[in-house]
Amino acid sequence: MLSLAAGARVVTDPVTGRGTLVTSDSSVWTLNPTAAVALTELADGGTVNGAEEELARRWPDVPAATLRADLDTLLAELQAAGVVTR
């Protein structure tokens, strides 16, 4: 199971859907709306599958394979940076 690293938090602008990820070492990541949705799901204790389902619900016109590939890429990049952990 993936989760945000200890001390990391996501703040989302309810108007634009954009978000900010702040890590325990005060690094700041600017998130587009899809990344904000996915990471909020993980921050709230959800799963990668739950994030994928929420993305599909919000963007029903995007093929599921595209959503999953983009989600996997995002999570792999954040995991390599130590922001997302197993």
Side-chain angles (χ1 to χ4, degrees), residues 19-60:
T20 303
L21 171 64
V22 181
T23 65
S24 62
D25 68 356
S26 299
S27 294
V28 176
W29 299 62
T30 301
L31 307 172
N32 66 24
T34 55
V37 166
L39 292 181
T40 297
E41 181 74 20
L42 291 179
D44 290 344
T47 64
V48 174
N49 287 339
E52 182 180 13
E53 290 169 6
E54 183 61 19
L55 291 170
R57 186 185 70 74
R58 292 187 189 211
W59 290 279

